Amino acid sequence: MKQFPSFLIAVCCTLFISSYANAQSTVLYDTTAKPVMISNQFAFTEGPAVDKKGNVFFTDQPNNKIWKYDTDGKLSVFMDSAGRGNGTYFDKKGNLIVCADEHNQLWQVAPNGKVKVLMVNYKGKLLNGPNDLWVHPNGNIYFTDPYYQRPWWTRTQPDQDGQKVYYLPKGKSEAIMVDADYKRPNGIVGTPDGKLLYVADIGDNKIYKYAVNKDGSLSGKVVFINKGADGMTLDERGNLYLAGNGITVYNPEGVQIAHIDIPEPWSANVCFGGKNKDLLFITASKAIYTLKMKVKGVE
């Protein structure tokens, strides 16, 4: 039997993967369309979250503000003195849960802007700086706690002994650590049925996948993708969108199926918004971008 040279096999595999990804991309969005810059008036954008109506809220951490981009395309400041908010997520009651980095807390912000502090520390010590979060359908809050030195802090080193992943049970004020084996955890998102959780270790260039147990613990940890990420989101088909160098999309099997270039130094986070939840919303450095999609988000 004739043997094909290994380099020819490698080339054929590369071409097949490339053509497959290109075909899948066209299913997600019009690949001839370019992301639209909505505004670049910010210092650094982060933490987009979508409410039930499709309005997107996002943070400008250096300027200590939370902004709103409504379904009619209007921009407005939702909150000043926003606790140096970073990652955000809406709970079922319409409250915006915020990683309040100023004092390393978790906040609950009501639609009228009223703040309730959900958590102030972990076992009596300041957290590193809650970065990103996801609210389980049952109300539990899962969040990452990396250490990024902030200019508004007086401390210069962490109080915690590592950079870990936690969850805050609904109605409680004391978090539970669920995984300490991280170099620098960052983005986090779960499936709408609450059964799976994805966490990015941006310090180790990996995305992990877990099963979420009924008691809130995590199990079955596996490396889903050998690639790091900042923020993440999911679409209705289970595809995972990773923010970083633009937006990279992976299918539920962990195969890359698309890459969306964003003309900014860094794309920090991403979510779906709009009246039909089919508008990809990207926070990227000093700007925000949107891209019309053929699929919908699930958050």
Side-chain angles (χ1 to χ4, degrees):
M1 183 176 179
K2 187 176 181 179
Q3 296 279 331
F4 286 97
S6 58
F7 79 91
L8 285 178
I9 296 174
V11 168
C12 290
C13 288
T14 301
L15 290 173
F16 174 79
I17 292 170
S18 177
S19 61
Y20 173 77
N22 289 336
Q24 291 298 302
S25 296
T26 61
V27 175
L28 299 178
Y29 61 96
D30 179 357
T31 55
T32 65
K34 300 293 184 184
V36 177
M37 187 182 73
I38 303 303
S39 177
N40 63 352
Q41 63 182 289
F42 315 102
F44 191 81
T45 56
E46 250 286 10
V50 62
D51 68 11
K52 290 180 181 179
K53 295 180 179 179
N55 303 303
V56 176
F57 293 70
F58 64 96
T59 63
D60 184 356
Q61 191 177 43
N63 287 322
N64 204 14
K65 296 180 186 295
I66 296 176
W67 286 77
K68 178 182 178 180
Y69 179 69
D70 71 20
T71 54
D72 294 322
K74 180 184 175 182
L75 266 176
S76 60
V77 174
F78 169 69
M79 187 176 186
D80 283 307
S81 301
R84 301 287 182 178
N86 196 343
T88 69
Y89 202 94
F90 277 95
D91 66 16
K92 283 189 173 181
K93 294 183 178 180
N95 300 305
L96 187 64
I97 311 301
V98 180
C99 291
D101 193 70
E102 187 169 20
H103 300 296
N104 309 294
Q105 301 169 342
L106 290 183
W107 284 9
Q108 175 188 285
V109 182
N112 64 3
K114 185 178 180 181
V115 174
K116 178 182 179 180
V117 178
L118 298 178
M119 193 179 84
V120 296
N121 58 46
Y122 177 68
K123 294 188 175 179
K125 296 181 180 180
L126 281 177
L127 288 160
N128 295 321
N131 183 278
D132 203 0
L133 59 90
W134 172 70
V135 181
H136 190 279
N138 66 15
N140 292 341
I141 301 168
Y142 291 80
F143 67 95
T144 57
D145 188 45
Y147 189 86
Y148 292 96
Q149 184 65 46
R150 305 302 192 191
W152 47 85
W153 291 345
T154 56
R155 61 173 174 159
T156 56
Q157 60 184 17
D159 291 5
Q160 298 296 329
D161 61 0
Q163 304 183 57
K164 306 171 186 179
V165 180
Y166 301 83
Y167 90 94
L168 181 66
K170 182 182 180 181
K172 304 295 184 181
S173 59
E174 183 71 26
I176 296 171
M177 190 271 292
V178 288
D179 197 337
D181 190 18
Y182 275 82
K183 289 188 177 180
R184 180 168 279 178
N186 200 301
I188 185 168
V189 71
T191 53
D193 61 8
K195 293 182 179 181
L196 297 176
L197 183 71
Y198 297 92
V199 182
D201 190 342
I202 199 169
D204 198 28
N205 208 39
K206 288 180 174 61
I207 307 294
Y208 291 102
K209 183 171 73 171
Y210 303 83
V212 181
N213 302 318
K214 290 184 178 180
D215 64 357
S217 63
L218 305 177
S219 62
K221 180 181 181 182
V222 295
V223 175
F224 180 61
I225 304 167
N226 283 299
K227 181 179 176 64
D230 204 329
M232 303 189 291
T233 195
L234 288 160
D235 70 19
E236 61 189 343
R237 297 176 184 174
N239 298 315
L240 185 66
Y241 294 65
L242 310 183
N245 178 20
I247 305 298
T248 309
V249 188
Y250 288 81
N251 70 13
E253 287 71 48
V255 177
Q256 181 178 331
I257 57 173
H259 180 82
I260 302 167
D261 288 323
I262 306 295
E264 299 291 342
W266 186 251
S267 298
N269 218 321
V270 60
C271 77
F272 282 83
K275 293 177 182 179
N276 298 314
K277 302 288 182 69
D278 60 354
L279 191 69
L280 197 66
F281 184 96
I282 304 111
T283 55
S285 300
K286 296 181 179 181
I288 54 173
Y289 288 77
T290 62
L291 179 64
K292 186 73 170 178
M293 304 294 289
K294 298 178 182 178
V295 291
K296 297 180 180 182
V298 294
E299 296 182 67

